[in-house]
Every structure is written in structure tokens, then in C-alpha cells.
């Protein structure tokens, strides 16, 4: 069976058989078999190709890495664990935002603490102008899940929808920014996600606690890891269900 993920990744990055063959020091026919016959390259070759196309080995070859090895790599993907989101230095959020060159993805209901950075929206607009792919997922104020979250956090059914409306107003300037997309969702928010290229801040949500008091994981994507990729796929799933807001 052909490896369509590998084929697509190479095409997206403008890589032909000869370029891959040269980088991996193999015959172009070997590269062709990796694509058309689904052959699995040696680990050193997988790592080289994954780096070239900026994808993980698990994405390109889902069955190539043994489960126990994935577990080991997943542990290494955890850069730091914070007991509370509010204990993360503001400098960390700012540094990751300013350093992003390819992807900025945010999944939240409101995330109004982001407004503490007065340059946040302008930075997103500048990044989009530099061809960074900016995707923002905000909570739909009319969605039942937001009212339920307010009940669960003990702050009232109207609190989260009200915050979401404020968040929509805060992100409104991105509506007219080429390269930036904003959508609203009404899914259960198990985690808030802040992705900047290969770094991701995952704010877990705990029943009875507001988000700022819940733990946060700082992850860094590794080629053979599963942890970062799991949250990334979750973001894509919500994105597929979300809709363009009625500003």
C-alpha cells in the first residue's frame, strides 16, 4: 500500500526522489519504494526525512515505532509541568509567540489573560503577514458547553459565555487579517491548547477549578513521540467542527 502521507509531505515541501535520495544516501528507486509500496525506511532515514518535511515519524510511519519506545519519547516531550497556569511566567508565552515562524494555534473558550499582553493581537497580525499559519478557536457564547463549564467551575452559567463574548471582541481585528483564521466551537474543552511551532502549552481542565488554577504542560514535539501529536490531532478535530463567527 502506498504511503500517501509521505507522498503528500514531500510534495508540500517541494522534495523529489533525487533530493530525498541524496539526503538519505540511498538510491532514488529505494525512495520510490518507500512511497509507492509503503516500505518502512531504517530509523536513521526516517529521522532525516521527518526533519526535512517537518512532520513526526509517527505521522509518516504510524507503525514504525514500537509502543514502549513511543512511551519513552513521550516522556521526553514534556519540557516542564506547572501546577497552575497562573504560575507560568508571562515571558514564556511571549517568547514562544514571538519565536513562532510556521504555526500558531490556540484552542480556548475565552483566554482573556492573553489580553495582558497589549501587543498580542498586533503580533498575531504581524506573524500572519510573515506567512505564519495562524488558527484561533474560541468558545461559541451560545453553546451549551460554555454555560455548563461555568456551573462546573462554580462561577455561574453566564460567566463563561460572557468571557467568550469579550474574547470575540478582543480577537475581532484578526477577522480582516490575511493569513489568520478565527472560528468558534461548542465542544467540551478538555484542554486549552497554545501551540507555537514545535512547542505547545496544554492547560488541562479540572472539575471545580477555573483554568488559571489548573495544571499546565509545556510540550516540545519530538519526531517519534505521540504526546504532542495527540493534542495536535485534537485541535484539528475541533477545527473541523468549528464555524466562522458572526462578528
Amino acid at each position: 500500500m502506498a504511503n500517501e502521507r509521505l507522498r503528500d509531505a514531500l510534495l508540500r515541501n517541494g522534495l523529489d526522489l533525487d533530493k530525498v535520495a541524496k539526503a538519505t544516501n540511498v538510491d532514488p528507486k529505494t525512495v520510490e519504494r518507500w512511497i509507492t509500496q509503503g516500505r518502512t525506511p531504517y530509523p536513521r532515514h526516517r529521522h532525516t526525512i521527518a526533519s526535512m518535511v517537518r512532520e513526526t515519524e509517527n505521522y509518516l510511519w504510524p507503525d514504525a515505532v514500537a509502543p514502549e519506545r513511543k512511551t519513552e519519547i513521550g516522556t521526553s516531550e514534556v519540557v516542564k509541568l506547572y501546577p497552575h497556569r497562573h504560575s507560568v511566567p508571562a515571558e514564556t508565552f511571549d517568547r514562544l509567540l514571538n519565536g513562532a515562524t510556521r504555526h500558531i494555534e490556540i484552542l480556548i473558550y475565552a483566554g482573556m489573560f492573553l489580553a495582558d499582553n497589549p501587543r498580542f493581537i498586533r503580533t498575531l497580525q504581524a506573524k500572519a503577514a510573515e506567512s505564519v499559519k495562524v488558527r484561533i478557536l474560541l468558545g461559541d457564547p451560545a453553546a451549551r458547553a460554555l454555560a455548563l463549564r461555568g456551573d462546573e467551575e462554580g462561577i455561574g452559567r453566564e460567566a463563561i459565555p460572557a468571557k467568550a463574548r469579550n474574547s470575540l471582541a478582543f480577537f475581532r481585528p484578526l477577522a480582516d487579517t490575511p493569513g489568520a483564521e478565527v472560528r468558534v466551537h461548542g465542544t467540551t474543552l478538555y484542554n486549552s491548547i497554545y501551540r507555537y511551532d514545535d512547542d505547545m502549552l496544554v492547560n488541562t481542565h479540572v472539575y471545580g477549578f477555573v483554568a488559571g488554577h489548573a495544571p499546565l504542560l509545556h510540550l516540545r514535539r519530538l519526531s517519534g513521540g505521540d504526546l504532542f501529536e495527540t493534542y495536535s490531532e485534537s485541535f484539528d478535530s475541533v477545527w473541523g467542527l468549528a464555524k466562522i463567527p458572526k462578528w
Side-chain angles (χ1 to χ4, degrees), residues 65-74:
V65 182
E68 59 272 15
R69 177 59 180 154
K70 288 182 181 179
T71 300
E72 293 175 4
I73 297 172

Side-chain angles (χ1 to χ4, degrees), residues 11-208:
L11 288 173
R12 280 189 283 108
N13 288 274
L15 298 171
D16 58 21
L17 299 181
D18 290 334
K19 290 180 181 178
V20 178
K22 183 176 180 180
T24 54
N25 197 28
V26 301
D27 190 277
K29 291 184 178 180
T30 298
V31 179
E32 185 177 16
R33 285 193 287 271
W34 292 342
I35 299 170
T36 61
Q37 299 179 25
R39 300 280 184 89
T40 302
Y42 289 123
R44 66 181 183 277
H45 296 147
R46 295 200 304 267
H47 182 74
T48 298
I49 296 170
S51 298
M52 292 171 69
V53 300
R54 296 178 177 179
E55 294 286 357
T56 65
E57 291 182 46
N58 281 339
Y59 172 78
L60 297 172
W61 302 280
D63 300 321
V65 182
E68 59 272 15
R69 177 59 180 154
K70 288 182 181 179
T71 300
E72 293 175 4
I73 297 172
T75 301
S76 298
E77 286 186 292
V78 180
V79 176
K80 190 166 184 176
L81 170 63
Y82 295 89
H84 313 288
R85 190 199 69 207
H86 64 67
S87 61
V88 182
E91 183 275 337
T92 297
F93 277 93
D94 294 345
R95 174 174 53 81
L96 295 177
L97 170 64
N98 292 329
T101 60
R102 293 179 287 111
H103 298 282
I104 295 176
E105 297 176 343
I106 297 175
L107 167 61
I108 51 178
Y109 274 163
M112 287 308 299
F113 76 96
L114 297 171
D116 292 341
N117 178 355
R119 299 179 301 278
F120 187 76
I121 296 298
R122 291 197 298 273
T123 301
L124 289 180
Q125 291 174 317
K127 291 293 182 180
E130 296 168 358
S131 298
V132 177
K133 187 175 183 180
V134 178
R135 297 196 294 174
I136 309 295
L137 280 166
L138 306 174
D140 182 349
R144 178 178 178 274
L146 275 70
L148 179 60
R149 174 55 56 85
D151 277 344
E152 293 173 345
E153 292 184 357
I155 58 177
R157 295 183 64 83
E158 292 303 317
I160 303 298
K163 290 181 179 181
R165 283 189 286 272
N166 289 336
S167 186
L168 275 168
F170 176 65
F171 282 94
R172 175 65 178 82
L174 292 182
D176 303 317
T177 301
E181 295 183 81
V182 180
R183 295 184 184 181
V184 293
H185 71 101
T187 64
T188 301
L189 193 67
Y190 297 104
N191 310 274
S192 292
I193 294 174
Y194 309 86
R195 179 191 177 180
Y196 306 100
D197 291 344
D198 291 335
D199 282 271
M200 181 184 291
L201 303 176
V202 179
N203 185 188
T204 65
H205 293 294
V206 181
Y207 187 91

